[in-house]
Amino acid sequence: MWNYSFTLPSAMILLILVTYYFRRPRLPLRMNRTFLMLLLIDALTIVTDYASSRVDETYMNHSAALGYAANLAFFVFFLARIFCFFLYILDILENHVRLPARFRGWSSAVFVLSELVALSSPVTHAVFFMDESGYHRGPCYDVLYVCFFFYLALALFLILKNARKLPNPVRDGLLSVVAILTLGNIARILLPTLLVMNTFCLMAILVIYLSFQNPDFFLSDRGNAFNTRGFRFLLREWNQKDSYRLLAFAIRDYSEIRGVYGGLQMDRCIGQIIEFLTENYPECLVFYLRNGAFVLIGPKNMDCQTMSEDISGRFRDAWEVMDTEMLMKPVFVEVALEKKTADSERVISMLLLALDSAGRSEPGDDLAGPLSINAIDRYLVEKRALELALEQDRLEVYFQPLVDSKDGSLVGAEALARLRAEDGSLIPPMEFIPIAEKDGSIIALGEQVIRKTCQFIRDNDMEALGLKWINVNLSPHQCMSRDLADRFGAILREYGVPAELIHLELTEQSILDYAMLKNQLIGLQELGFQFSLDDYGSGYSNLTRVKQYPFKNIKIDMEVVQNYFRDRDPILPTLVQAFRQMNFSITAEGIETKEMADAMAEIGCDYLQGYYFSKPIPMSAFLMRYSVKS
Ligand code: C2E
Ligand code: MG
Ligand code: MG
């Protein structure tokens, strides 16, 4: 009665697919679970299809109960399989679009009803019944087709409705699955005795495997770790959960190390690291993202602290790759996923950014070390605000007065950059200057500050204000650019401002490598700029080194000044005297009280700066205040 010629080959191909699929690591994704269920149900459908057909053919040798059991099992799995295909299509759709809540629940109604009708058959004879002449279709047999076409039509509707939001290969893959299943069903209706439906289902499963399920799509090519795509998929699904923890680290200076050892060796080394991680942390999912960045995702009780110590411990030993010892240092980025509502794409891009910068930065740098998503969030907001301000020439420059210590009269001002966030609040320079230094925009930032300062000098009567000069801060990163003097010279000429009116402040940190700076400083000095050493006492510079530079003025760091008021030890007065003998003028920063101002004047400081006189204020406020006085 039945033609079985398609059954065995289908079962054999399915076996290969299953073996292949199970041999590779898989992520605990919903689509993977549905796919597994689909494989299982498909296998059971093939088996029960074959078994029930054999029982029906030889009904006279069996009891009616066996006939009912075999046929019922087949119908149950047959219906479950189509529903499973439908669920799988929903899973894939949901990787790209948001479906209405409870959609799955409602859409399962037809499946549940059909199953109930099928299961009632021994009593109601709805779908089939057995009698002395064997197996017969019941009056509601077409429930199978109704169920089948209902889910195919619903799937097609959803795919077409969201077609624009789906990447083309995803859309085409899903459409192919629907088309193959439809053809299979039509074949089943037209050729009921040919057991060909299973083959069509297998074809649909093959399309799914090739389009979405191949485990290699989610695996890194460096070893048995998952890749960025897998990380994206998992985080998207787990974003709202709080049942997992995440530990991330990057290899410091990965690109340079890769350059030194070569790509092949580096890849093998990454393979070894992955092996170490997967072997030592079997409860974790290990991801290799890119550029030496790894992520481990584990249960909520995962002890990130101990793990990072252990991993760092392993990294203290060399990795032996192709007879070479490779030494590397991991930098950890701790990610507290406190914002559960944050969309996962943002979390991922922030994490990648944090890992990138952790891999590049110096120890103690702003983005290295424990880092929360909030911190990265803020970092991105500030970076964006900085980009916009530089692009639209909206960086603000505030002035803080420098006064003569003898009589408190205005002699100069320090120009301090101010960045306004979108909400109107001010972002402190301590936050945006390091960002600008890191992404190179410090050059543009510095130019904008000096431009605006020049504009101020051009547009106002400096003498009437009592201003002899204006201090502008120069970052060490600016000094690295070879054409610094040319650019500053051009700006001075553009505004017709003599360089003598501008003093450049360099911090101790920038003078560590004199050889690097020498030419730039000489160039600037030839233009007529003078130099101040900023924040003296916050670093390590000694007097000999200070003397090598063309500084005219030393600014004592505010912490040194404020410490002096705590214990009054003789170091500061002695230092000031030494500087005076070396012909430097001295400025004390961070003067907040009259007592401080008097004491600093007494120990020999020439100029004072601090909140006691004024906080940094906008240029317009500065003009108002000092025009009136003069
Ligand atoms: P800095 O050059 O040492 O500037 C002095 C800092 O001390 C300013 O902080 C100022 O507001 C603060 N200050 C002044 N008097 C007092 C006081 O009495 N008490 C206290 N507690 N603080 C006082 P600000 O404006 O936040 O700037 C911080 C740093 O950012 C500056 O330190 C400077 O290194 C950097 N910076 C600011 N603007 C620029 C710029 O245009 N270019 C570069 N490269 N760096 C800049
Ligand atoms: Mg300064
Ligand atoms: Mg300073």
Side-chain angles (χ1 to χ4, degrees), residues 235-513:
L235 230 60
R236 199 183 297 147
E237 245 180 70
W238 285 14
N239 195 25
Q240 308 289 333
K241 289 193 199 175
D242 60 356
S243 54
Y244 67 99
R245 289 199 72 183
L246 203 147
L247 180 73
F249 68 93
I251 293 172
R252 169 152 296 154
D253 299 330
Y254 174 81
S255 307
E256 283 95 78
I257 299 175
R258 194 180 173 85
V260 172
Y261 290 101
L264 179 66
Q265 180 137 343
M266 194 71 224
D267 287 348
R268 295 225 176 141
C269 184
I270 296 288
Q272 272 194 28
I273 298 171
I274 291 173
E275 210 177 295
F276 166 79
L277 294 172
T278 43
E279 273 173 15
N280 284 277
Y281 306 104
E283 73 286 3
C284 288
L285 297 165
V286 178
F287 295 82
Y288 178 65
L289 301 183
R290 61 175 191 203
N291 296 346
F294 297 82
V295 171
L296 290 121
I297 295 186
K300 198 173 168 51
N301 60 3
M302 176 165 105
D303 181 357
C304 290
Q305 185 62 34
T306 314
M307 274 171 75
S308 53
E309 280 162 18
D310 291 351
I311 294 171
S312 298
R314 172 60 189 87
F315 268 87
R316 274 193 278 281
D317 297 334
W319 300 87
E320 210 161 297
V321 185
M322 307 197 309
D323 296 330
T324 311
E325 297 212 324
M326 295 175 73
L327 262 176
M328 280 164 294
K329 191 171 172 358
V331 189
F332 285 85
V333 173
E334 185 190 289
V335 187
L337 293 167
E338 62 258 53
K339 269 197 184 171
K340 289 214 204 62
T341 48
D343 76 290
S344 60
E345 276 308 313
R346 194 162 166 75
V347 173
I348 292 164
S349 45
M350 289 192 285
L351 179 68
L352 288 176
L353 187 95
L355 282 166
D356 275 356
S357 80
R360 271 187 277 113
S361 52
E362 296 303 317
D365 224 348
D366 58 330
L367 265 186
L371 181 86
S372 71
I373 289 293
N374 276 345
I376 315 174
D377 211 3
R378 183 159 173 79
Y379 172 82
L380 287 181
V381 167
E382 289 174 359
K383 197 171 152 74
R384 182 83 200 117
L386 181 65
E387 270 169 23
L388 276 177
L390 291 178
E391 214 175 278
Q392 304 170 350
D393 197 31
R394 279 200 293 102
L395 196 77
E396 296 172 34
V397 176
Y398 278 32
F399 279 171
Q400 186 176 30
L402 292 158
V403 305
D404 193 320
S405 67
K406 288 191 275 304
D407 54 9
S409 62
L410 184 71
V411 283
E414 177 170 2
L416 293 157
R418 290 291 179 266
L419 175 64
R420 212 164 276 283
E422 244 171 282
D423 61 5
S425 61
L426 279 176
I427 301 168
M430 291 311 199
E431 289 180 23
F432 70 83
I433 298 284
I435 299 178
E437 287 178 336
K438 189 166 288 170
D439 71 11
S441 60
I442 188 71
I443 307 281
L445 185 152
E447 281 194 18
Q448 226 176 86
V449 174
I450 203 151
R451 229 168 232 291
K452 290 189 170 166
T453 306
C454 284
Q455 198 178 349
F456 177 91
I457 297 175
R458 182 193 66 188
D459 296 347
N460 294 286
D461 187 343
M462 294 276 284
E463 234 179 276
L465 286 165
L467 286 175
K468 298 200 176 86
W469 72 85
I470 292 180
N471 281 17
V472 171
N473 291 284
L474 199 61
S475 145
H477 294 254
Q478 285 171 278
C479 301
M480 306 283 173
S481 102
R482 287 186 186 286
D483 58 353
L484 180 71
D486 293 345
R487 282 158 164 271
F488 275 21
I491 295 173
L492 290 178
R493 279 194 298 281
E494 189 184 330
Y495 289 90
V497 168
E500 290 71 26
L501 292 183
I502 293 180
H503 293 186
L504 297 172
E505 292 190 9
L506 283 145
T507 55
E508 283 193 315
Q509 194 204 344
S510 29
I511 62 169
L512 287 182
D513 192 351

Side-chain angles (χ1 to χ4, degrees), residues 531-537 543 546 551-557 575 579 584-588 606-607:
F531 299 98
S532 269
L533 176 60
D534 200 359
D535 301 341
Y536 183 83
L543 295 184
V546 171
F551 291 119
K552 285 262 164 36
N553 172 263
I554 310 286
K555 295 184 80 178
I556 310 283
D557 188 59
L575 194 72
F579 277 136
F584 292 111
S585 65
I586 321 261
T587 306
D606 305 276
Y607 309 110

